[in-house]
Amino acid sequence: MTKDNGGQRFRLPAWFRLAAVAVVAVTVAVVVLIQVTKTSPVRASPAATPVSLTDRLPEAGKAGMPGPGGDPARKTLVLYDDGRKNDRTVATPEEIRTAEAYAMFTANLVSRGTAWEMRPAADYRARQLDAFQAVVYLGSVSDAELPQAFLNDVATTRVPVVWIGANVWRLRTGPGWRAEGYREGNPTTVTYKGTPLRRDPRSGTGVVAIDVRDPARVQILAEASAPGGTPSPWAVRSGQLTYLAEVPYAYADARDRYLAAADILLGVLSPQAPDRHRALIRLEDVGPRTKPEELRRVTDFLIEERIPFSLAVYPYYSDPQGRANDGNPTSARLVDSPELVAVLKDSVQAGATLVMHGYSHQSDSGPNPYDGVSASDFEFYKSSVDGDGVVHLDGPMPEDSARWFDERVATGLGEFRRVGLPEPTMFEFPHYGGSALDYQQVSGIFQARYDRGSYYAGFCPGGRCGSTATTTTDQVYGQFFPYPVRDVYGANVVPENIGNVAPVAFNQHASRTAVDMLADAQSALVVRDNVASLFYHPFLGESGLRDLVNSLRALGYRFAKPTEILDG
């Protein structure tokens, strides 16, 4: 699970492993079959002149603002355990990092409904919540320090309160229910809106036992159960207080009880959110060596069916060691592939959205971690593969800096202009990997990211997000979103959450079929106003995509553009 590298321990983000602690994970292979055409070497054309990126988006980097569909006139106070305990001891470093990750995850979700402010619960002062329209508390450290003023205000406030996880017994009694310590057994299912959702028994967080004493005053929102056991309340609401019996982030996948938590939060913070279900399709890993005829078959189908789609394009192909080209170092730019550019232009003319998928989707410094070939390797984060074939993230690239990132992006944008394509306004990190600094830079250049996020311990010290000085790379956390958000980097995020077709197992990733993806999409229907978002590699052909499209429609999804998702 971890890798020792120069004395530092690095942890894979959620989409590369089942997390041992506090991560929202999906067991989807982001790295899938890569098709590289072996032909004679292509001489690289001169690089396009980088453009200036000094004209930043005016709202760039403003963590705490609401995301698409959120109400800027409303603000939620997100409180979390920073490690201080009632007995004046301090939690372990691992518990502290986990608590901060939980807070970041929650703030990201909260942004769908409202603006937010994050603070350690131990710093709460009397009547502070009067300045907010809602409060969410994350109880992740048992016996954490909670000021009596906070407990008093929760008991008397007229604003909605969502309490998640531990320490609820400090409230003494709930209106019509009581917390009775942790329940026996380890639930494996949480049923919400009649839909059974997974709960991985390895999550190890413990589920609080809820004793409903006055059913007339308590609404049971969800129930947890173990095989052969009797269901018991997992989430309840009474008066202004909504309670979830655990922090639902550890070992979460795309059919997890995490979906219930995300919907409950949205329902409390944005009760007017529409009940609608939209779907997104992104054609993945399109680059200068993509076969135009393969891409054309897939785009023609989508255009004929009037299905909105996006194209994740990297504008520069590089194989510096000739690993995919018979030992001949090879490079190419979009300008070297006029037939491919014609397909892209026709797609854009028909309404498709271009997404910049990095500059070259690889690293010229060597295998990262596979072969250094575009569409195969990471570009913005250092990685390696161990003897068991497991991918590890080893930290930022040696050259990582704001200037390096900006120049790489600027050169890539120049390539789009060079061939007469519009500059993409959305960015997707190759393999969803980048440093916290890179993520911050994206939010100032592009309208949105289109991905799952990587989040780092130390980025939100004391609840104030934005510090790369205190960010550490020994803990990398991943989160997927069932709806658009504005995350702790201040970036609007168009979600991707049901993954892709992966015909064969690859490294630590299992194979994945359309049936798996559709099961994820069906579970996600429990979330009001959700987005079921997939990506698809054009070399897999049109027929598989046709089946996915028809099945998603049958589930009640309507296809949309990513720009529509950003409109709320």
Side-chain angles (χ1 to χ4, degrees):
M1 295 292 184
T2 59
K3 180 179 186 294
D4 186 78
N5 186 46
Q8 292 182 313
R9 298 174 71 241
F10 297 98
R11 188 181 299 275
L12 282 176
W15 45 83
F16 288 104
R17 66 180 179 88
L18 287 175
V21 186
V23 292
V24 176
V26 290
T27 56
V28 176
V30 173
V31 185
V32 295
L33 289 176
I34 306 299
Q35 178 165 313
V36 180
T37 306
K38 294 187 176 183
T39 58
S40 57
V42 178
R43 180 175 298 174
S45 303
T49 303
V51 297
S52 171
L53 298 178
T54 55
D55 296 330
R56 300 288 178 171
L57 297 174
E59 72 278 11
K62 293 184 179 179
M65 293 179 63
D71 185 352
R74 297 176 59 83
K75 181 178 281 191
T76 298
L77 177 62
V78 178
L79 298 173
Y80 70 100
D81 300 332
D82 65 353
R84 286 174 279 179
K85 295 191 173 185
N86 279 325
D87 60 4
R88 304 304 178 189
T89 62
V90 178
T92 67
E94 179 78 358
E95 288 177 313
I96 294 171
R97 286 192 295 264
T98 297
E100 183 185 329
Y102 286 158
M104 288 191 289
F105 290 169
T106 303
N108 290 340
L109 293 176
V110 165
S111 75
R112 171 57 186 85
T114 72
W116 55 268
E117 187 172 318
M118 186 193 304
R119 298 178 187 175
D123 291 338
Y124 182 87
R125 298 294 178 267
R127 311 309 306 174
Q128 281 187 338
L129 61 78
D130 290 347
F132 298 87
Q133 283 68 52
V135 59
V136 179
Y137 166 67
L138 278 295
S140 60
V141 176
S142 185
D143 200 33
E145 181 179 339
L146 293 179
Q148 188 61 45
F150 170 61
L151 301 174
N152 292 341
D153 287 352
V154 167
T156 59
T157 186
R158 295 184 178 180
V159 304
V161 176
V162 181
W163 190 300
I164 303 175
N167 305 315
V168 68
W169 38 85
R170 299 283 301 282
L171 288 176
R172 297 180 184 171
T173 61
W177 61 271
R178 290 189 61 179
E180 300 287 351
Y182 290 101
R183 58 169 289 166
E184 295 181 359
N186 203 355
T188 57
T189 302
V190 170
T191 302
Y192 179 64
K193 294 183 177 179
T195 298
L197 301 171
R198 294 172 176 168
R199 181 185 184 275
D200 195 305
R202 294 171 295 175
S203 61
T205 56
V207 176
V208 173
I210 300 173
D211 179 18
V212 174
R213 300 192 169 193
D214 187 351
R217 300 178 63 190
V218 181
Q219 180 184 5
I220 298 176
L221 303 176
E223 293 185 313
S225 59
T230 302
S232 62
W234 183 85
V236 295
R237 176 175 298 140
S238 182
Q240 293 295 95
L241 178 63
T242 300
Y243 177 65
L244 278 63
E246 64 170 322
V247 182
Y249 297 131
Y251 282 96
D253 65 17
R255 294 176 226 169
D256 192 82
R257 83 285 198 210
Y258 166 71
L259 297 173
D263 184 65
I264 289 170
L265 275 172
L266 182 57
V268 171
L269 303 180
S270 186
Q272 302 306 315
D275 187 6
R276 60 183 172 179
H277 306 288
R278 296 176 289 180
L280 294 176
I281 294 176
R282 188 180 72 216
L283 300 182
E284 196 78 344
D285 290 338
V286 178
R289 300 295 294 278
T290 297
K291 290 183 177 180
E293 63 273 18
E294 290 180 344
L295 183 62
R296 174 76 72 180
R297 281 194 290 269
V298 175
T299 58
D300 280 353
F301 157 67
L302 293 170
I303 292 169
E304 289 170 4
E305 292 291 320
R306 297 185 179 182
I307 298 169
F309 64 97
S310 59
L311 295 140
V313 181
Y314 59 92
Y316 180 64
Y317 173 90
S318 180
D319 178 10
Q321 299 180 29
R323 296 287 187 90
N325 291 278
D326 298 324
N328 300 307
T330 303
S331 61
R333 300 179 187 278
L334 285 176
V335 71
D336 301 315
S337 306
E339 293 182 2
L340 175 69
V341 171
V343 178
L344 295 176
K345 287 183 176 179
D346 289 346
S347 297
V348 171
Q349 181 66 30
T353 301
L354 290 180
V355 178
M356 185 174 181
H357 192 22
Y359 171 58
S360 66
H361 204 318
Q362 55 82 238
S363 170
D364 286 335
S365 61
N368 191 31
Y370 303 114
D371 52 17
V373 180
S374 289
S376 178
D377 279 13
F378 287 78
E379 181 174 354
F380 296 101
Y381 213 80
K382 195 67 178 173
S383 62
S384 60
V385 182
D386 67 20
D388 296 323
V390 176
V391 179
H392 297 270
L393 295 190
D394 299 332
M397 299 293 289
E399 61 268 42
D400 190 48
S401 69
R403 180 175 180 179
W404 172 76
F405 183 87
D406 284 3
E407 289 181 350
R408 200 166 182 87
V409 168
T411 303
L413 292 174
E415 293 294 334
F416 285 97
R417 295 197 312 277
R418 182 180 189 175
V419 297
L421 288 169
E423 290 187 11
T425 60
M426 298 182 192
F427 188 84
E428 177 198 351
F429 278 101
H431 298 323
Y432 299 165
S435 70
L437 177 62
D438 299 337
Y439 272 89
Q440 283 192 311
Q441 293 304 109
V442 167
S443 67
I445 302 169
F446 294 90
Q447 180 187 11
R449 292 198 330 270
Y450 188 168
D451 60 13
R452 310 180 185 209
S454 292
Y455 303 97
Y456 296 85
F459 186 72
C460 297
R464 296 177 293 278
C465 298
S467 174
T468 56
T470 57
T471 297
T472 63
T473 57
D474 60 343
Q475 295 287 335
V476 186
Y477 303 100
Q479 184 177 17
F480 72 91
F481 305 110
Y483 37 61
V485 303
R486 188 182 186 93
D487 71 1
V488 295
Y489 297 117
N492 287 319
V493 182
V494 177
E496 180 278 299
N497 47 38
I498 64 172
N500 65 295
V501 174
V504 298
F506 186 78
N507 283 355
Q508 73 265 44
H509 313 299
S511 62
R512 185 167 169 81
T513 68
V515 173
D516 297 321
M517 298 169 65
L518 293 168
D520 291 349
Q522 186 165 21
S523 293
L525 290 170
V526 300
V527 181
R528 71 202 73 193
D529 201 18
N530 83 303
V531 178
S533 180
L534 64 94
F535 64 95
Y536 190 85
H537 291 86
F539 62 77
L540 293 174
E542 169 267 334
S543 61
L545 186 57
R546 181 184 297 273
D547 292 340
L548 277 168
V549 165
N550 291 336
S551 296
L552 285 169
R553 281 173 165 167
L555 286 175
Y557 283 98
R558 177 181 65 82
F559 288 94
K561 293 183 177 182
T563 50
E564 180 185 338
I565 302 301
L566 292 175
D567 288 338

